Amino acid sequence: MKWFLDLTTRNKLFVCFGLIFALIAWVIATAYTGINTIRESQDRLYQEDLANLRDVQALRVHQNQMRALMLEAQLLSKRAEQDPLLAQAAERSKQIDRLIASLLARAKNDPKQLARLEELKSVWQAFAQTKDVEIIPLILAGKIAESHQLAVGVQQGRQEKIRAIAQELGDTAEEHARLAVANAEEQVNQSLRAFL
């Protein structure tokens, strides 16, 4: 400390201003890092976690609506009444295919989620294959009992599996979103402590 006392007043001012400048630079760097981390967290929250949650919920809605349309088509006997319902069911199937593709694209860096999505995709493809190749032709041929047996038999099990996987994926996305918000809050608190 004696070295500081031996300095001239001019040099003491330079040292103090240099120290103040270094502390201000450190505060600015800390603020920039904190803000950048929060921004990245919010981007990931919006572009991944909330998008996954939205897509999983939309998938469940389309799946339920498509299943209801198929069951309603089985209750009707006129082809003119069945065709619009089957067309809507086909559109719901396309929507589900797009949603699964989006979910798979976002999960490419998460092996656990990717594995569950692959399982969901395979169950969905089996469900869609049975619907398109077996159930719809039976409905159109007027073989309602056979189509209904498939719909409440093997398809019911697949429906439940799709619902269970979608629920699990939705819960995971919600948990990731909750953790992202908690991490952002912790980053804000760390930045505030650094400023103080």
Side-chain angles (χ1 to χ4, degrees):
M1 188 70 174
K2 182 160 172 49
W3 66 270
F4 185 73
L5 295 174
D6 291 340
L7 293 176
T8 64
T9 302
R10 178 180 173 193
N11 288 339
K12 287 178 185 176
L13 288 174
F14 277 129
V15 168
C16 289
F17 282 125
L19 184 59
I20 290 171
F21 181 76
L23 287 174
I24 289 173
W26 177 76
V27 167
I28 290 170
T30 301
Y32 176 78
T33 303
I35 290 169
N36 198 35
T37 301
I38 292 168
R39 183 183 55 78
E40 289 171 0
S41 173
Q42 297 303 314
D43 285 346
R44 196 184 106 252
L45 175 68
Y46 180 74
Q47 293 176 0
E48 290 180 26
D49 298 327
L50 292 180
N52 286 344
L53 188 57
R54 179 196 66 225
D55 285 353
V56 166
Q57 288 175 344
L59 184 142
R60 291 174 67 186
V61 167
H62 288 303
Q63 176 71 14
N64 289 333
Q65 289 174 341
M66 190 222 16
R67 183 133 166 93
L69 289 166
M70 293 297 296
L71 292 172
E72 187 177 348
Q74 290 175 352
L75 296 175
L76 302 172
S77 58
K78 295 181 182 173
R79 178 82 182 255
E81 296 172 334
Q82 293 171 334
D83 284 342
L85 297 174
L86 296 176
Q88 289 178 36
E91 181 56 36
R92 299 285 182 213
S93 290
K94 290 177 188 174
Q95 291 290 338
I96 291 171
D97 287 335
R98 283 191 281 267
L99 290 168
I100 291 174
S102 295
L103 288 164
L104 283 167
R106 282 192 297 272
K108 62 186 172 208
N109 295 327
D110 186 352
K112 183 179 178 186
Q113 187 176 14
L114 188 60
R116 291 302 281 165
L117 283 167
E118 290 291 345
E119 183 181 358
L120 174 69
K121 181 180 177 183
S122 70
V123 174
W124 162 247
Q125 287 174 339
F127 184 94
Q129 177 76 14
T130 301
K131 172 185 69 74
D132 294 338
V133 174
E134 296 180 46
I135 295 176
I136 290 177
L138 287 172
I139 291 172
L140 296 176
K143 298 178 180 179
I144 302 303
E146 292 91 341
S147 68
H148 186 70
Q149 187 177 13
L150 280 172
V152 297
V154 67
Q155 290 293 75
Q156 182 65 33
R158 291 175 181 153
Q159 170 80 10
E160 289 170 6
K161 182 78 170 172
I162 290 169
R163 187 177 296 137
I165 295 172
Q167 180 67 42
E168 179 187 327
L169 292 170
D171 291 345
T172 300
E174 192 173 331
E175 180 64 18
H176 285 172
R178 189 190 65 71
L179 288 174
V181 170
N183 289 340
E185 187 176 325
E186 179 59 30
Q187 186 64 40
V188 167
N189 291 336
Q190 285 178 356
S191 296
L192 287 174
R193 284 192 295 272
F195 292 146
L196 290 175

